[in-house]
């Protein structure tokens, strides 16, 4: 939808096409945004605060990143309104051309794939700690190591969960169970934040033990850059933002701006409280998965592990579905055999789960995965929205000064995203080979 010559464009009140699909209200959109953003990255935030060099440095980077995070959401909403497309990949392909659209699809599949790996790594951590907690409760031998058997290994338990729970949930075309578990991620995130605050104010440090240390010893800029991938991973909801926008009843961009601001502000509060108090509780010794730093017989944290574990089990199939559709649709078009859809879907699902499980079993901790995912997420938060804005400015009739300002902002976001991708991959490699 272009603004005709002689009209005065209202950038924040531009409606979109296809109003028949509008079914989502303001509160519903905010809730779905929260559900998409509040996830596995929450467990990594206290560790990120430690890597950043403390609370002040981490908060500075987080607030600065929010500008680009919100900007990316607004740009994607505007891009959806002028293109009439309802998925992230379709918007990029429509505005930026088929070549960039294909690149977006490849990045999308890889990003979702690595997110599934992160889910399984976190699930393995929680299974390990829950197994130890159950052993201590049954035997009453708190503090003793659990005897190692093949059937007590969390890797075997993770395999069973993938085979008997995740695979059956992932095979169907439509993940209908999502409507029953849509609030679980937000409940798990909120409970974890409250539990960390409660445990910080009720903790006791045994006599003779030193207080937690809060210095990391890393250089200032290295510390600042090392926390960016975690922030990108934690706040990312941009992949589903186009679908959310296209389902809104009120598609005015001013309404979408308010939805983006409110949802990101709530995420900021939850992530910040978790990061600050998790870091203050354990200092530089906090684990990459903060729940692994707490005692195995802490009832508050046992509940948190259960909530997060169940939440991940129900979210994994949804992430798999998003990636599978991108791969499956071209295969079906190429073969042109509708009856083979079930076989292709089952095969892709099984292969996806097997490969992500294999990788997750050999990943030492979640921080290694998040460093990679954070870099890939920079494409969806910075690079592709920046490209969409630049191409949109070439096709829309907007006043000259505003067009140049928005084009310049698109270039800035692309440069920032490219830099974040490069440095996050660099730090991921350094972590693997030099154990920073």
């Amino acid at each position: 939808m272009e603004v005709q010559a002689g009209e005065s464009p209202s950038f924040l009140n531009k409606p979109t096409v296809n109003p028949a699909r509008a079914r989502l209200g303001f509160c519903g959109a905010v809730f779905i945004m929260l559900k998409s953003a509040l996830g596995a990255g929450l467990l990594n935030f206290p560790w990120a605060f430690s890597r950043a060099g403390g609370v002040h440095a981490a908060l500075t980077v987080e607030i600065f990143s929010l500008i680009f995070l919100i900007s990316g959401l607004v740009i994607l909403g505007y891009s959806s309104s002028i293109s009439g497309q309802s998925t992230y990949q379709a918007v990029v392909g429509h505005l930026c051309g088929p070549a960039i659209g294909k690149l977006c699809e490849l990045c999308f599949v890889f990003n979702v794939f690595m997110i599934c790996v992160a889910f399984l790594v976190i699930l393995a951590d929680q299974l390990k700690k829950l197994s130890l907690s159950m052993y201590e409760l049954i035997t009453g031998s708190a503090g003793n190591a659990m005897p190692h058997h093949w059937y007590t290994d969390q890797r075997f338990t993770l395999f069973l969960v993938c085979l008997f729970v995740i695979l059956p949930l992932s095979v169907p075309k439509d993940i209908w169970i999502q409507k029953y578990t849509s609030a679980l991620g937000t409940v798990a995130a909120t409970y974890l934040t409250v539990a960390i605050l409660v445990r910080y104010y009720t903790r006791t440090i045994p006599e003779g033990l030193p207080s937690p240390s809060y210095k990391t010893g890393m250089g200032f800029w290295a510390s600042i850059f090392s926390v960016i991938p975690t922030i990108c991973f934690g706040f990312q909801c941009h992949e589903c933002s186009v679908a959310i926008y296209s389902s809104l009843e009120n598609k005015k961009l001013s309404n979408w701006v308010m939805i983006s601001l409110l949802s990101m502000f709530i995420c900021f509060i939850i992530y910040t409280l978790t990061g600050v108090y998790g870091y203050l509780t354990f200092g530089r010794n906090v684990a990459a998965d903060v729940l692994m730093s707490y005692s195995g017989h802490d009832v508050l944290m046992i509940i948190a592990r259960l909530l997060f574990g169940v939440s991940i089990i129900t979210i994994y199939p949804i992430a798999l579905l998003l990636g599978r559709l991108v791969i499956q649709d071209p295969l079906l078009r190429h073969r042109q055999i509708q009856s083979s859809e079930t076989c292709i879907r089952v095969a892709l699902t099984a292969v996806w789960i097997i490969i992500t499980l294999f990788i997750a079993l050999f990943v030492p901790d979640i921080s290694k995965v998040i460093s990679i995912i954070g870099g890939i997420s920079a494409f969806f938060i910075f690079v592709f929205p920046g490209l969409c804005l630049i191409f949109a400015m070439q096709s829309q009739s907007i006043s000259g000064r505003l067009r140049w300002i928005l084009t310049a902002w698109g270039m800035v976001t692309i440069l920032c995203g490219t830099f974040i991708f490069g440095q996050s991959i660099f730090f991921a490699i350094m972590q693997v080979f030099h154990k920073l």
Side-chain angles (χ1 to χ4, degrees):
M1 178 177 177
E2 295 188 8
V3 179
Q4 301 297 322
E7 292 182 356
S8 176
S10 181
F11 186 74
L12 295 179
N13 293 281
K14 194 179 181 75
T16 189
V17 297
N18 203 6
R21 302 183 58 181
R23 295 182 178 179
L24 191 61
F26 183 93
C27 293
V30 171
F31 182 80
I32 296 176
M33 292 279 283
L34 290 175
K35 176 179 177 288
S36 303
L38 293 173
L42 192 65
L43 300 177
N44 199 234
F45 253 65
W47 177 86
F49 272 60
S50 175
R51 292 280 296 180
V55 173
H56 296 295
L59 283 177
T60 301
V61 179
E62 194 178 0
I63 294 172
F64 181 76
S65 300
L66 273 178
I67 299 173
F68 290 93
L69 290 162
I70 296 171
S71 168
L73 291 173
V74 174
I75 291 171
L76 290 171
Y78 176 71
S79 299
S80 178
S81 73
I82 63 176
S83 66
Q85 304 299 316
S86 59
T87 65
Y88 193 110
Q89 306 95 297
V91 167
V92 174
H94 182 89
L95 290 178
C96 306
I100 298 179
K102 290 296 181 184
L103 175 62
C104 179
E105 289 183 355
L106 291 174
C107 292
F108 187 91
V109 172
F110 184 75
N111 191 51
V112 174
F113 178 86
M114 293 306 298
I115 289 174
C116 288
V117 173
F119 285 163
L120 294 185
V121 173
I122 293 172
L123 188 57
D125 289 343
Q126 308 316 319
L127 289 172
K128 178 179 180 180
K129 204 72 173 183
L130 285 171
S131 298
L132 180 59
S133 300
M134 294 301 297
Y135 173 76
E136 291 178 351
L137 289 174
I138 294 173
T139 63
S141 56
N144 294 334
M146 183 173 62
H148 179 75
H149 302 286
W150 62 269
Y151 52 84
T152 61
D153 194 318
Q154 79 273 10
R155 292 175 292 185
F156 176 69
T157 309
L158 181 63
F159 168 76
L160 293 180
V161 171
C162 288
L163 180 62
F164 294 108
V165 182
I166 292 179
L167 179 59
L169 291 175
S170 303
V171 167
K173 280 185 179 180
D174 302 312
I175 310 299
W176 55 268
I177 199 172
Q178 182 186 9
K179 64 183 179 181
Y180 300 111
T181 60
S182 60
L184 196 53
T186 304
V187 171
T190 305
Y191 178 87
L192 176 63
T193 302
V194 173
I196 288 176
L197 271 109
V198 170
R199 192 53 68 227
Y200 172 77
Y201 285 108
T202 59
R203 64 177 178 155
T204 57
I205 301 176
E207 294 184 8
L209 291 181
S211 299
S213 172
Y214 300 111
K215 294 183 179 179
T216 64
M218 295 180 63
F220 175 76
W221 289 110
S223 300
I224 293 296
F225 292 146
S226 67
V227 77
I228 295 178
T230 300
I231 294 176
C232 291
F233 175 71
F235 282 88
Q236 68 168 343
C237 55
H238 295 63
E239 292 92 335
C240 64
S241 61
V242 174
I244 296 172
Y245 175 83
S246 64
S247 299
L248 286 175
E249 295 176 352
N250 180 4
K251 291 186 175 67
K252 290 184 177 180
L253 201 60
S254 56
N255 184 56
W256 177 245
V257 170
M258 293 303 300
I259 291 172
S260 301
L261 287 171
L262 181 58
S263 58
M264 288 296 99
F265 177 75
I266 296 174
C267 286
F268 172 78
I269 296 298
I270 293 176
Y271 275 117
T272 300
L273 289 176
T274 303
V276 169
Y277 285 97
Y279 168 67
L280 292 179
T281 301
F282 300 104
R284 62 182 300 181
N285 294 321
V286 65
D289 177 348
V290 67
L291 285 174
M292 299 299 289
S293 296
Y294 290 93
S295 170
H297 56 269
D298 189 328
V299 176
L300 272 176
M301 297 307 166
I302 289 176
I303 297 174
R305 291 186 188 97
L306 285 171
L307 282 174
F308 250 95
V310 175
S311 176
I312 287 172
I313 289 173
T314 57
I315 293 174
Y316 181 102
I318 300 170
L320 188 154
L321 174 65
L322 294 174
R324 186 181 66 201
L325 287 175
V326 178
I327 302 173
Q328 179 179 309
D329 289 347
L331 291 176
L332 293 178
R333 288 196 300 266
H334 177 70
R335 292 175 60 90
Q336 295 182 349
I337 302 176
Q338 190 64 31
S339 60
S340 65
E341 188 274 337
T342 301
C343 294
I344 292 176
R345 172 163 44 85
V346 173
L348 286 175
T349 302
V351 171
W352 186 289
I353 293 176
I354 290 170
I355 297 176
T356 54
L357 175 61
F358 180 80
I359 296 175
L361 293 179
F362 294 94
V363 173
D365 63 68
I366 189 180
S367 64
K368 308 297 186 296
V369 182
I370 288 182
S371 294
I372 299 174
I373 299 175
I376 300 298
S377 299
F379 278 95
F380 298 97
I381 297 173
F382 297 88
V383 177
F384 290 126
L387 287 171
C388 287
L389 184 60
I390 291 175
F391 279 96
M393 291 303 100
Q394 296 177 0
S395 61
Q396 299 302 298
S397 299
I398 297 177
S399 61
R401 179 175 298 180
L402 179 59
R403 174 183 300 204
W404 284 109
I405 291 174
L406 294 176
T407 301
W409 181 250
M411 296 176 64
V412 170
T413 59
I414 292 173
L415 291 175
C416 288
T418 304
F419 174 77
I420 292 170
F421 171 76
Q423 67 88 24
S424 64
I425 297 301
F426 172 78
F427 275 108
I429 295 173
M430 293 294 288
Q431 284 182 349
V432 173
F433 292 101
H434 300 283
K435 296 182 180 180
L436 288 179

